[in-house]
């Protein structure tokens, strides 16, 4: 949808919300329209109105969450461009990121981003895989021992004497 069409849709939904302020569906549609226009504060406001009318609206909660995250990322980018985060803010941001990871069940929050290197860990030796057993050797024909003869030729120690 073009930018002009998005603006017109949002304007019409604002008018509809004034005519029927109790309709949660209108507020959700308005929140979606504001989100598509990347007007995240207005998207959050409209989604909050939808939640006031329908507290279990997953769509409204989702719009609030994603819009809030987009605002947070934008704010963080602006802050980092000017000055580094203070230690207190950095610590709180790290706690929030950990909560997000735990909630989403994801180690990486940004798909396609390379994870930061992990601290060095002790390397455990890998167990050596057992070599495949070699086939049993072919049986070797062993001559049957002959009974000992009393002759000197049959005495193996005879040459040593």
């Amino acid at each position: 949808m073009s930018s002009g069409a998005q603006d017109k849709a949002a304007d019409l939904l604002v008018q509809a919300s004034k005519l029927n302020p109790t309709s949660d569906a209108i507020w959700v549609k308005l929140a979606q329209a504001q989100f598509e226009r990347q007007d995240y504060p207005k998207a959050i406001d409209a989604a909050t109105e939808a939640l006031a009318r329908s507290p279990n609206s997953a769509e409204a909660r989702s719009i609030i969450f994603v819009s809030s995250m987009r605002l947070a990322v934008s704010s963080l980018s602006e802050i980092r461009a000017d000055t580094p985060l203070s230690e207190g803010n950095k610590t709180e941001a790290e706690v929030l990121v950990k909560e997000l990871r735990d909630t989403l069940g994801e180690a990486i929050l940004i798909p396609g981003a390379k994870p930061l290197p992990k601290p060095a860990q002790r390397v455990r030796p890998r167990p050596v895989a057992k070599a495949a057993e070699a086939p049993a050797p072919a049986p070797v024909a062993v001559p049957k021992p002959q009974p000992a003869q009393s002759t000197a030729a049959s005495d193996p120690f005879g040459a040593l004497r």
Side-chain angles (χ1 to χ4, degrees), residues 27-28 30-32 34-35 39-73 100:
W27 287 104
V28 168
L30 179 56
Q32 289 171 335
Q34 300 293 16
F35 182 86
D39 191 343
Y40 302 119
K42 287 184 181 178
I44 292 169
D45 289 344
T48 301
E49 289 292 334
L51 281 178
R53 288 147 183 82
S54 179
N56 296 324
S57 174
E59 194 164 4
R61 289 183 189 279
S62 177
I63 291 170
I64 291 172
F65 172 74
V66 176
S67 295
S68 298
M69 293 306 302
R70 297 242 174 121
L71 286 173
V73 168
L100 277 173

Side-chain angles (χ1 to χ4, degrees), residues 80-91:
R80 290 181 73 190
D82 296 335
T83 57
L85 283 176
S86 68
E87 193 58 38
N89 288 343
K90 183 177 180 182
T91 301

Side-chain angles (χ1 to χ4, degrees), residues 52-134:
R53 288 147 183 82
S54 179
N56 296 324
S57 174
E59 194 164 4
R61 289 183 189 279
S62 177
I63 291 170
I64 291 172
F65 172 74
V66 176
S67 295
S68 298
M69 293 306 302
R70 297 242 174 121
L71 286 173
V73 168
S74 174
S75 296
L76 183 59
S77 295
E78 291 170 8
I79 289 170
R80 290 181 73 190
D82 296 335
T83 57
L85 283 176
S86 68
E87 193 58 38
N89 288 343
K90 183 177 180 182
T91 301
E92 186 163 347
E94 289 170 348
V95 168
L96 290 171
V97 167
K98 182 186 180 315
E99 287 180 22
L100 277 173
R101 287 181 180 144
D102 292 345
T103 301
L104 296 173
E106 299 288 336
I108 300 174
L109 296 178
I110 303 170
K114 294 181 180 178
L116 295 175
K118 293 183 179 180
Q121 293 180 343
R122 190 178 83 194
V123 178
R124 295 181 184 171
R126 291 186 177 183
V128 178
K130 292 182 180 179
E133 292 184 25

